[in-house]
Amino acid sequence: MTLLRLCTLAGSLALTAPALAQQGTKADAATLAKIKDEGLNRSKVMETAFYLTDVCGPRLAGSEGLARANEWTKKQLTDWGLTKANIEPWGTFGRGWDIDKSYVAMTVPYYHTLIGAPKAWTPGTNGLLKKSVVVVKATTEAELDQYKGQLRDKIVLLSVANAPKPSFEPDARRHSDEELKKMADFKPEAPTTPRPVDAEAEKRMADRKALMAVRTKLADMLVSEGAAAVLSSRGGSDGTFFTSNGAPYAADAKPVLPELEMAPEDQLRLIRLAEAGIPVQLELETRTRFQTQDLKGYNVVAEIPGTDKKLKSEVVMLGGHLDSWHAATGATDNAAGCAIMMEAVRILKATGVQPRRTIRIALWGEEEQGLHGSRGYVKNHFADPATMQLLPEHEKLAAYFNLDNGAGKIRGIYAQGNEAVAPIFQDWLKPFADMGATTVTLRNTGGTDHLSFDAVGLPGFQFIQDPLDYGTRTHHTNMDTYERLPADDLKQASVVVASFVYQAAMRDAKLPRKPLPAAKPEGRM
Amino acid sequence: MTLLRLCTLAGSLALTAPALAQQGTKADAATLAKIKDEGLNRSKVMETAFYLTDVCGPRLAGSEGLARANEWTKKQLTDWGLTKANIEPWGTFGRGWDIDKSYVAMTVPYYHTLIGAPKAWTPGTNGLLKKSVVVVKATTEAELDQYKGQLRDKIVLLSVANAPKPSFEPDARRHSDEELKKMADFKPEAPTTPRPVDAEAEKRMADRKALMAVRTKLADMLVSEGAAAVLSSRGGSDGTFFTSNGAPYAADAKPVLPELEMAPEDQLRLIRLAEAGIPVQLELETRTRFQTQDLKGYNVVAEIPGTDKKLKSEVVMLGGHLDSWHAATGATDNAAGCAIMMEAVRILKATGVQPRRTIRIALWGEEEQGLHGSRGYVKNHFADPATMQLLPEHEKLAAYFNLDNGAGKIRGIYAQGNEAVAPIFQDWLKPFADMGATTVTLRNTGGTDHLSFDAVGLPGFQFIQDPLDYGTRTHHTNMDTYERLPADDLKQASVVVASFVYQAAMRDAKLPRKPLPAAKPEGRM
């Protein structure tokens, strides 16, 4: 309350850390300076990122890579002096899946190796296939029917929605001052305001649903018609392609064909040749491996114990998801976030901070399939959003901070509609104004694990990050690699996060919360 | 002369085609209008580009792809009604080389398919290799020596000069008005002006030479030490990698190891792992095939015969090189130029033009290894620059127009220091001002086949083209594919070229020439 009032009064005055210390937060300027010094001058964040990406490898939910990352992070956090490091199951996920071989090339009309990767959870080809191709373009069931009898023993080529072309826009960018000001000025709509109907958006949604239905029917038809395999492409350019799953991860999922996601340049060449009536032959071999012994999903957690007798039972959490897609090492999605969160707790340990509250890091599993790790954790520890029956730990959580919007430095934080917390964050950002982190917005942001906390009325927040090339080049692609991590951005983010966590651990009161949401029996967030 | 004076007087006045027709060029406005109509409204340039790229495939000097392209273009030009279509040998080139298989993957510490391609003229692996890696970083002979005894049976990883990173600049761009104005304003230096010594450039050149010497010694050492294969990377990003040759194409070239050029992201991952002491194993199989039966190189030529009794023995030539590098289909380098030149003669045939002079298209072979096709042709038909003994055809060549700077539309033409020709070109560009082609520069431009003509005092010219993503993304990369060809740019270029060729074929006089150069016995251009 003191801080809140102070902020309202202080307006745009730069509030120094010593002043903060006198106003009810026990964070002191000397510690903040130590955090910056450790994080900027003795950073280990790139070393951590190297281990998460290159050494552990792709970290698909349920894969061996994710298991390696779980083990490595647990050990590393322990080595840094954190306690209670644990690979904690959150519930049942589904089958594990790994790639043991992936090779595809055109052999007729001439030899050309193709760039692609198996879609997650698709089966292998059971040896080297040598087959001709057929192009299937269907947006309706009637169009699908025309392919009956033509697919047996063929490699099916599905169309590419958008062909690559010379790009006149840069891949990477940073938020402009104007964009940040717009975010800062954002006022949430009154919840009673009826939203105008967006007819175009509704039509797009309906079209997409119809297309998905055709795609599902196609998948069945490919199996029943005896096609050999599928090559598809969700887009990308320049050798970059987008990846996703080609089959459910559920242990009882029905069979599908081997399917690869392809660089659109290669896919389009095959399609153009086939459509011009030129015979095309491919050779294709994939070996994939399912793991059904352990269907559980896991999160990695570890703690820096609190030191204040009264407050140490309260917890400040920070986290990001450790799982990734499978065709790259998930550097920006989300080794970056995990490396930064790990670096933040390393910095806090290295600077000898004595936090009043307990600090707990969580590296989530199975985020990419629907925030499963964090949702499971929240349900096990805090509350099930379907019932909103609160567990005892619910009142102990002071805050949760998440990082999962790529590798760009922190420019501020989404207050997620929590008006009471905004001025606190504005204060906490002040020491980082010269490092580009200035903006608190009341806007919600979605798509990642803070939502699991927000859904049960806990104060969960995602930072605003510079977009860099996350949306254009790395997010869910085969090019989400270590190169995409700018060291200076990761170092900056590490010290901002360490400082926020420290502030939240030292503050007299937990962070203010929004009113508890109603139970959502259907489970939607 | 008349035309020259007129242009000087006309200044910035838009000179209409009928006005031109009255001034000594027999080109008429109606024909120019027909050329535009045919080229813009009934274009076949993209169909031609599709056949050159996707259907013929990569067209490395001496390869089967280039042989397919030679046959196809000869037939297509004949089908369009050109005469004397011929695949004409220009001399001895060297060995042919084709890829029959290319597969490389990391298998330890986890499976990951790698993006790469064999370097041209390297041998295959003779089966599937399963080997561990060693990183070799050496810029001096002394550093090289340290690797003795460590290379046997290993796959050698050479370093990557520049790591990819998030890109804040667009790949593609067009010439700005300012750039074009600077080109137009360019005044050639008086040839007597002594050039200032550029110490930095000289140092860079010396460093490069030294590095090349070390690289040559390394290649020998890898063979003598019994290494298994080499992975290298000249750069690129996002799945795009640059390609070149890894061994000479000469029939008597000494043996080298199998070598692949890799996407830098993949190469860097391997290097980071190996340098961190983490065991890395690869599996690698390449099969390449040498052809030594026919060591000759070829150009494809075809004609539209002249109709003026006096002038039909004179020739206007246009061309581009048909060969490409091997890891893509050479779309911008230089299927684009060939497709545009072919489209220009198709347009001229389709519009029923009766050119006074003979028009001859030439699609050059073996440009990438040193303009061999055009140099051989010029030596056989016009003059050897080493002796400057002129052959009878030398005086018959009215002009040569070349296109080989990517797929960008034509913005003007390099007059190659020929001051007398500049005003003629300024006139010829006027009908295309509304299509962005406006600029005549006296600047020289290098790097392609017009130089072979210029070297013996013949008027050979390359057009100014919008750069698009030629320098950043497509030139000599695995991503030089059909997608990189914007149809509107190719159509525009086709009508500009058709019009220039038509004007040169109709004009009373051949294009003015620069003074004959002195003989260059050492053969340098």
Side-chain angles (χ1 to χ4, degrees), chain A residues 11-33:
Chain A
S12 66
L13 280 174
L15 193 68
T16 60
L20 277 174
Q22 294 153 19
Q23 300 295 339
T25 172
K26 298 290 192 272
D28 66 284
T31 303
L32 289 179

Side-chain angles (χ1 to χ4, degrees), chain A residues 214-258:
Chain A
V214 173
R215 186 73 179 76
T216 303
K217 187 155 183 253
L218 170 63
D220 294 343
M221 182 173 148
L222 294 176
V223 173
S224 63
E225 292 277 310
V230 182
L231 303 187
S232 58
S233 182
R234 288 179 55 234
S237 65
D238 314 314
T240 304
F241 61 90
F242 288 92
T243 54
S244 62
N245 57 319
Y249 44 85
D252 59 352
K254 64 180 174 181
V256 295
L257 291 184

Side-chain angles (χ1 to χ4, degrees), chain A residues 350-372:
Chain A
T351 49
V353 162
Q354 299 293 312
R356 299 171 76 191
R357 293 188 179 80
T358 293
I359 292 167
R360 185 185 302 154
I361 185 171
L363 305 173
W364 310 115
E366 293 74 34
E367 188 267 0
E368 295 293 1
Q369 288 71 36
L371 321 184
H372 291 313

Side-chain angles (χ1 to χ4, degrees), chain B residues 374-396:
Chain B
S374 59
R375 290 171 77 167
Y377 186 88
V378 165
K379 192 173 161 186
N380 295 336
H381 288 264
F382 303 119
D384 182 346
T387 63
M388 282 307 288
Q389 298 286 330
L390 306 187
L391 298 171
E393 288 179 62
H394 191 278
E395 66 168 313
K396 296 292 187 183

Side-chain angles (χ1 to χ4, degrees), chain A residues 50-51 53-58 68 99-103 109-113 115 164-174 237-240 265 268-269 272-273 276 278 283 327-329 468-469 473 478-479 481-484 486, chain B residues 50-51 53-58 68 99-103 109-113 115 164-174 237-240 265 268-269 272-273 276 278 283 327-329 468-469 473 478-479 481-484 486:
Chain A
F50 162 65
Y51 272 89
T53 55
D54 291 337
V55 180
C56 295
R68 275 192 297 273
I99 302 173
D100 286 336
K101 170 108 189 217
S102 173
Y103 165 70
Y110 49 86
Y111 185 87
H112 173 61
T113 310
I115 297 176
K165 54 187 178 182
S167 166
F168 292 87
E169 294 297 325
D171 277 0
R173 63 182 193 86
R174 295 191 180 278
S237 65
D238 314 314
T240 304
E265 291 88 351
L268 286 163
R269 190 194 309 189
R272 284 189 301 266
L273 286 169
I278 291 158
E283 53 185 29
T329 50
L468 304 185
D469 52 2
R473 181 63 64 185
N478 66 324
M479 285 295 141
T481 62
Y482 180 85
E483 286 70 28
R484 302 294 167 179
Chain B
F50 162 65
Y51 272 90
T53 56
D54 291 337
V55 181
C56 295
R68 274 191 298 273
I99 302 173
D100 287 335
K101 170 105 188 219
S102 172
Y103 166 68
Y110 49 87
Y111 185 87
H112 174 61
T113 311
I115 297 175
K165 53 187 179 183
S167 167
F168 292 88
E169 295 295 327
D171 277 0
R173 63 182 193 86
R174 294 191 181 277
S237 65
D238 314 314
T240 304
E265 291 87 352
L268 286 163
R269 192 195 305 189
R272 285 189 300 266
L273 286 168
I278 291 158
E283 53 185 27
T329 50
L468 304 184
D469 52 2
R473 181 63 65 186
N478 65 324
M479 284 297 141
T481 61
Y482 180 86
E483 286 70 27
R484 301 295 165 177

